[in-house]
Amino acid sequence: MDLSIFIQLIVLGLVRGSMYALMGVGLSLIFGIMEIVNFAHGELFMIGCYIMYFMAAMLGLPFPLGILASGVGLLIVGVILEKGLISPLRKKAGREWLMDSFVLTIGLMVIFQNLALIIFGSVQRGIPYLVAGQSTFGDVVFIYDHLVILSLAFLTVGLLWYFIKYTSLGKAIRATSQHSEAAQTLGIDVSRMYAVAFGIGAALAGISGALLITLFPANPNAGMGPVLKSFVVVILGGLGNIKGAIAAGILVGLLEAFAVFYLAGGWQNVIVFSVVIAVLVFKPAGLFAPAGERP
Amino acid sequence: MTLEIEHVTSGYIKEVPILMDVNIVANQGSLTGIIGPNGAGKSTLLKTIYGYLRPSQGDIFHDGKSIRGLKPDQMLGQGIAHLIQGHSVFPAMTVEENLELGGWIIKHDRKTLDRALDEVYQHYPLLKSKRRMVAGALSGGEQRTLEIARLTMTHPRTILIDEPSVGLMPKLVDTVYEEIVKLKELGYTILIVDQKVHKCLDVVDYIYVLRLGQNSHHGPKEDFVNTIEDVIKEWI
């Protein structure tokens, strides 16, 4: 194989993969702690796209501000959704919670898409580039945008990893997802942890949408593709498994890049979903689940 | 007197009280046991004390202060810890992380937290040697030890224990009761709810018998040593 093509495909795969990882980690975090399969995750991505467009294209602000605004904006949206809708419903639902959360998040998905359609119309609102230009090393072309997306995505995942692993709030979130009743007896305000976790998951989706605006222009359905892929990531990585979601996200990105190049556009979905089916059959707890863990 | 339950009526639905006018006192530094047949309201009592349920009548005092209406996550701050039924370690976190979370309410006071951690390691050298292991990899008995040690991180005054032997291998049951007696010797006030009447009677100082959600008998352990079989017969 030609080395330059190989490197090019790795970069392309990592760019897409880092987005899938960001989306998947958020979805996984939310599921792990609250047992919600958030079907509206793609719409949080979509809101992130619009915030980025508003900040960068309409106000003409530098793009890092747009990314920051998307992250903070979606954090707030996430906390409001959790406190205003999810939490009250969870208290009423009891054992029926999983089904109720399906209906709630699918409903949110429809509402957000149609609100966006009414407010912004169906026009695609994109930004041509975050940082213009490219460099060539030998036969390999590095588009600056790709490098920016890649490094910011890795920075975000790294910060999240540090937060979850080492800060006391992060530890309390993990404790709540592993045994919420015990966490509560130790003085941890569990409902606050739910709000924080949902907010962070939403913020990750928002950052993802903002970062990828050059590839996925803002439009009411912008989140439909990414959310499907993030479900793939979460299945491959194991529901609730953060490390698994990061690894699976990158794996899916790379698989797609190589499938498109060596087979044809369209084949990437065939390959990826075949892998998903194989994983569901042979290793249903996910590729990266600790030995013996069940789904 | 550390924990006083005064004329408490409580239940899951307002119209259907499970506990009716229950009175219980757990004395400072002693081990008080609550026994009773299934459905006597033992678990409901613990849930009411710890704030999962709010009593519709009556009041609960800890150190003379009413704790009625406080939420479960506020109880440790009042000096009341709760060992819940079944396993309650955070299985994917290390032993040390589990213990640190035991000190969640004092997390801003790193010095006190570190000192508490040292004390726990002195008392339970086993936990020190396994502090980097994930808690889920410990044996059932070791997990119980970790759960008990985790409760002592903030030096609460009172510890509520719900069915300490549920889910344990029979071999380990005695060890757990020994740990509980050790806690008492350290000066903790302990209220224990138990199905294993004879085990419970071995370790406690004072017994309350609940029946159909009401006080039935109570008295120091000595009063029950000879009559316990008769009390149990009444339940059947």
Side-chain angles (χ1 to χ4, degrees):
Chain A
M1 188 195 299
D2 189 346
L3 186 67
S4 63
I5 293 175
F6 184 75
I7 294 172
Q8 198 81 67
L9 287 175
I10 296 271
V11 173
L12 281 175
L14 286 178
V15 168
R16 296 184 78 95
S18 60
M19 169 189 87
Y20 299 152
L22 273 183
M23 291 285 285
V25 166
L27 208 54
S28 216
L29 181 70
I30 290 171
F31 180 83
I33 190 167
M34 314 168 76
E35 298 198 325
I36 295 176
V37 179
N38 181 22
F39 287 103
H41 210 62
E43 281 53 53
L44 303 174
F45 174 97
M46 176 262 285
I47 298 173
C49 295
Y50 276 110
I51 295 179
M52 182 66 172
Y53 180 80
F54 177 75
M55 296 290 286
M58 293 175 73
L59 299 184
L61 295 167
F63 78 88
L65 273 181
I67 293 166
L68 197 65
S70 297
V72 174
L74 267 297
L75 181 75
I76 295 167
V77 169
V79 171
I80 291 173
L81 284 178
E82 206 287 324
K83 287 272 174 205
L85 287 173
I86 297 170
S87 175
L89 191 65
R90 185 180 43 233
K91 277 175 195 150
K92 284 189 183 161
R95 277 156 206 241
E96 308 293 323
W97 169 235
L98 198 62
M99 222 46 206
D100 287 9
S101 76
F102 278 18
V103 177
L104 175 68
T105 58
I106 291 174
L108 284 174
M109 178 178 92
V110 175
I111 291 170
F112 280 133
Q113 282 182 13
N114 285 286
L115 274 180
L117 194 61
I118 294 167
I119 300 171
F120 306 111
S122 56
V123 192
Q124 307 249 355
R125 295 166 201 273
I127 294 173
Y129 49 80
L130 301 176
V131 176
Q134 59 186 48
S135 322
T136 315
F137 291 94
D139 293 332
V140 189
V141 181
F142 290 101
I143 298 167
Y144 290 154
D145 248 10
H146 287 173
L147 300 181
V148 168
I149 293 170
L150 202 57
S151 42
L152 288 178
F154 274 89
L155 178 71
T156 309
V157 170
L159 285 176
L160 178 86
W161 182 251
Y162 177 84
F163 169 76
I164 288 284
K165 184 93 181 151
Y166 297 108
T167 66
S168 59
L169 190 56
K171 285 178 187 175
I173 288 177
R174 277 193 289 151
T176 306
S177 79
Q178 288 170 31
H179 202 309
S180 60
E181 205 191 338
Q184 198 175 26
T185 61
L186 299 179
I188 295 170
D189 183 348
V190 170
S191 55
R192 197 177 129 234
M193 295 305 132
Y194 289 155
V196 172
F198 199 87
I200 290 172
L204 290 176
I207 290 171
S208 191
L211 274 177
L212 289 188
I213 192 153
T214 54
L215 307 179
F216 295 80
N219 72 84
N221 295 324
M224 302 276 277
V227 78
L228 197 59
K229 287 294 157 55
S230 46
F231 277 117
V232 166
V233 164
V234 167
I235 292 170
L236 294 183
L239 267 174
N241 184 342
I242 308 267
K243 246 191 275 183
I246 297 170
I250 290 165
L251 179 71
V252 170
L254 290 173
L255 270 180
E256 284 190 352
F258 280 87
V260 168
F261 184 80
Y262 284 104
L263 298 164
W267 274 98
Q268 76 274 25
N269 291 332
V270 178
I271 303 274
V272 166
F273 284 102
S274 305
V275 173
V276 169
I277 292 169
V279 166
L280 283 175
V281 172
F282 296 108
K283 216 164 176 305
L287 284 177
F288 307 98
E293 190 172 308
R294 286 179 302 166
Chain B
M1 276 180 273
T2 307
L3 188 66
E4 297 159 272
I5 291 111
E6 287 188 353
H7 303 292
V8 161
T9 296
S10 172
Y12 299 88
I13 315 167
K14 206 171 176 211
E15 297 76 28
V16 191
I18 307 285
L19 298 177
M20 281 160 289
D21 197 28
V22 169
N23 291 286
I24 282 168
V25 172
N27 280 311
Q28 163 94 50
S30 73
L31 218 168
T32 306
I34 296 170
I35 58 174
N38 275 331
K42 303 189 297 292
S43 299
T44 310
L45 176 68
L46 276 193
K47 282 189 182 138
T48 306
I49 300 172
Y50 217 66
Y52 295 103
L53 298 171
R54 198 189 159 94
S56 56
Q57 280 168 47
D59 210 340
I60 303 165
F61 296 94
H62 186 249
D63 276 339
K65 227 171 106 185
S66 173
I67 54 164
R68 183 174 187 257
L70 291 182
K71 290 193 298 169
D73 55 69
Q74 296 172 312
M75 290 295 173
L76 200 57
Q78 296 294 320
I80 313 173
H82 183 10
L83 183 64
I84 59 181
Q85 210 183 104
H87 281 304
S88 61
V89 297
F90 304 122
M93 302 177 85
T94 64
V95 168
E96 185 147 304
E97 283 175 326
N98 267 275
L99 290 171
E100 280 173 1
L101 283 160
W104 170 257
I105 60 168
I106 52 164
K107 63 181 182 297
H108 298 300
D109 186 356
R110 192 69 224 185
K111 262 189 202 154
T112 313
L113 190 62
D114 285 341
R115 204 178 324 125
L117 204 57
D118 281 344
E119 278 172 35
V120 164
Y121 283 150
Q122 262 174 30
H123 266 288
Y124 305 96
L126 173 103
L127 295 180
K128 186 172 187 182
S129 64
K130 301 197 168 179
R131 66 185 190 278
R132 305 255 172 260
M133 267 172 80
V134 291
L138 299 178
S139 73
E142 290 165 349
Q143 290 191 23
R144 254 302 84 143
T145 306
L146 174 58
E147 286 153 11
I148 292 171
R150 192 173 65 183
L151 289 184
T152 64
M153 284 290 292
T154 54
H155 298 293
R157 303 246 294 150
T158 303
I159 301 180
L160 310 179
I161 301 179
D162 192 6
E163 304 285 0
S165 55
V166 163
L168 277 187
M169 281 164 66
K171 242 170 62 183
L172 293 169
V173 171
D174 287 333
T175 327
V176 167
Y177 282 94
E178 278 165 32
E179 298 269 9
I180 292 170
V181 171
K182 266 190 227 157
L183 282 179
K184 186 190 94 172
E185 283 159 3
L186 287 170
Y188 292 105
T189 305
I190 299 173
L191 187 69
I192 182 170
V193 157
D194 213 335
Q195 296 260 22
K196 284 198 161 45
V197 174
H198 294 284
K199 272 272 157 252
C200 187
L201 200 60
D202 277 348
V203 296
V204 296
D205 302 310
Y206 203 91
I207 284 262
Y208 283 87
V209 182
L210 283 187
R211 212 180 152 210
L212 299 171
Q214 287 173 308
N215 285 85
S216 162
H217 306 273
H218 64 94
K221 167 187 181 162
E222 296 73 36
D223 292 4
F224 282 88
V225 174
N226 296 318
T227 60
I228 188 71
E229 300 302 332
D230 299 331
V231 171
I232 295 175
K233 265 182 207 135
E234 281 175 30
W235 299 350
I236 305 166

